[in-house]
């Protein structure tokens, strides 16, 4: 069984930065592609970023491309989401997920963390 625990969320002003972490336990993170998703109040959970098992391939939602960076440290079994130039519309609960392939499709991920709140104020 794989457990995912996110951390690093918080309150930040617009234009600021945060780095989210997702600690993987139970299995080594190198076995999984990882994804970041987010869910704002009253909205569906949406794709943010994904990274391949090796960490060589990444893909981003249009809304965050150029501002967010996903990375993976398989030695530490941790995945990161560096978020720069944050906007109010980035406010959401952020979830990490693990699956067999890196994809934008939520249903393709087998394991999910509990989420961490990111709030961006103006």
């Amino acid at each position: 069984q794989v457990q995912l625990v996110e951390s690093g969320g918080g309150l930040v002003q617009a234009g600021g930065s945060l780095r989210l972490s997702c600690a993987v336990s139970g299995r080594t993170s190198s076995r999984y592609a990882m994804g970041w998703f987010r869910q704002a109040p009253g909205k569906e959970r949406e794709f943010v970023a994904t990274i391949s098992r090796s960490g060589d391939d990444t893909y981003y939602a249009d809304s965050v491309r150029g501002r967010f960076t996903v990375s993976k440290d398989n030695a530490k079994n941790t995945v990161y989401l560096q978020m720069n130039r944050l906007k109010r519309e980035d406010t959401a609960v952020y979830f990490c997920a693990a699956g067999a392939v890196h994809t934008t499709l939520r249903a393709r991920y087998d394991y999910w963390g509990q989420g961490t709140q990111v709030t961006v104020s103006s």
Side-chain angles (χ1 to χ4, degrees), residues 61-102:
D62 288 344
S63 58
V64 307
R65 188 175 291 115
R67 299 188 298 122
F68 290 11
T69 303
V70 59
S71 61
K72 201 166 185 264
D73 187 338
N74 285 331
K76 295 183 177 180
N77 283 334
T78 303
V79 181
Y80 304 98
L81 185 67
Q82 177 67 44
M83 306 186 295
N84 298 328
R85 304 200 311 275
L86 283 160
K87 305 176 181 179
R88 285 192 65 185
E89 51 263 43
D90 294 319
T91 295
V93 178
Y94 284 71
F95 299 87
C96 68
V101 295
H102 61 294

Side-chain angles (χ1 to χ4, degrees), residues 32-33 37 97-112:
Y32 298 99
F37 290 76
V101 295
H102 61 294
T103 174
T104 64
L105 301 176
R106 188 174 64 192
R108 297 295 300 273
Y109 290 91
D110 301 311
Y111 304 99
W112 291 82

